[in-house]
Amino acid sequence: MKPEILDRRLEYSGYLTIETLRIRLSDGFLVSRDVERHGDAAAVLPYDCTRRCALVGRLFRAAVFDTTGEDSVEEACAGMIEIETDETAARREASEELGVSLNALERVARVWSSPGVSTERQSLFLAAYSAADRIAEGGGVPGEHEGIAVIERPLMELAREVDQGRTVDGKLVILVYALRHRKPELFVSIEPVIES
């Protein structure tokens, strides 16, 4: 027998919606579960093959600040998918947040961000860029007060921080692993050529 939703009750409606579902599980047991809805998101890690770096954003996150006191988090560029495709959303967010124009996107995955409580799915992408693709300063949409600091990080440094468990943004962890798997040559140090 498949689980069945017997009833839903709206608990809150605003930027996000919270419902309480009454569900009959496949074993016949009745449970109550809270579900949060706010839409799906797209995230992208732009990387420069020539300079072996990636663009990330550092910004204030109220939930992180409230929980840990940390006043900023370094993240992969991301935002909500509006009335558009996930690829269009990733390009729009990269332009707004990082000031970079992206062409070809490499799809990595579409993942549930927190499947125990949220309906949000994140479409994750990689995208090559060059210095010529930096078209603006970035920082986010002025009226949204995002205050995003745009940072070009060396890929080897990002990978080292992921390996050491110091990267706290799950999107960034996945995307760094994916890039290292797909393009391992970008993570090998190059010894300088010394002419005699």
Side-chain angles (χ1 to χ4, degrees):
M1 177 170 84
K2 274 183 80 169
E4 178 186 5
I5 297 174
L6 303 174
D7 183 47
R8 68 179 67 233
R9 184 175 67 242
L10 180 65
E11 304 291 351
Y12 174 81
S13 182
Y15 171 75
L16 53 85
T17 299
I18 299 174
E19 294 178 318
T20 299
L21 306 181
R22 194 165 61 91
I23 303 168
R24 179 180 293 118
L25 299 177
S26 55
D27 63 3
F29 197 78
L30 296 177
V31 296
S32 178
R33 298 289 187 260
D34 292 336
V35 174
E36 178 273 337
R37 303 176 193 280
H38 66 266
D40 290 338
V44 62
L45 180 64
Y47 63 94
D48 185 319
C49 292
T50 304
R51 295 180 301 127
R52 297 182 182 204
C53 61
L55 285 172
V56 297
R58 185 174 291 141
L59 66 157
F60 173 80
R61 292 296 196 191
V64 174
F65 180 71
D66 182 48
T67 304
T68 68
E70 295 291 325
D71 62 357
S72 65
V73 177
E74 194 166 282
E75 299 183 19
C77 169
M80 303 311 296
I81 299 171
E82 297 172 2
I83 304 172
E84 60 197 339
T85 67
D86 55 359
E87 290 184 351
T88 301
R91 286 186 183 95
R92 175 180 48 77
E93 290 293 334
S95 177
E96 292 172 359
E97 293 186 1
L98 303 176
V100 65
S101 176
L102 301 177
N103 294 310
L105 297 177
E106 306 166 50
R107 186 176 295 277
V108 172
R110 188 169 187 215
V111 298
W112 296 99
S113 59
S114 184
V117 69
S118 179
T119 63
E120 180 191 70
R121 288 175 290 183
Q122 297 176 345
S123 296
L124 305 177
F125 298 96
L126 297 169
Y129 79 97
S130 68
D133 297 320
R134 299 287 306 272
I135 56 169
E137 288 185 29
V141 177
E144 294 179 7
H145 305 284
E146 294 178 283
I148 300 168
V150 181
I151 304 163
E152 276 192 330
R153 295 285 312 279
L155 290 173
M156 288 188 64
E157 189 177 282
L158 279 174
R160 185 170 39 256
E161 290 177 6
V162 166
D163 290 344
Q164 293 170 348
R166 293 180 21 214
T167 306
V168 297
D169 177 40
K171 304 177 305 296
L172 186 55
V173 171
I174 292 169
L175 290 168
V176 169
Y177 276 137
L179 182 58
R180 189 161 54 176
H181 175 73
R182 293 178 182 193
K183 298 194 181 294
E185 68 278 7
L186 297 179
F187 294 85
V188 177
S189 66
I190 299 173
E191 296 298 324
V193 177
I194 300 173
E195 296 181 18
S196 51

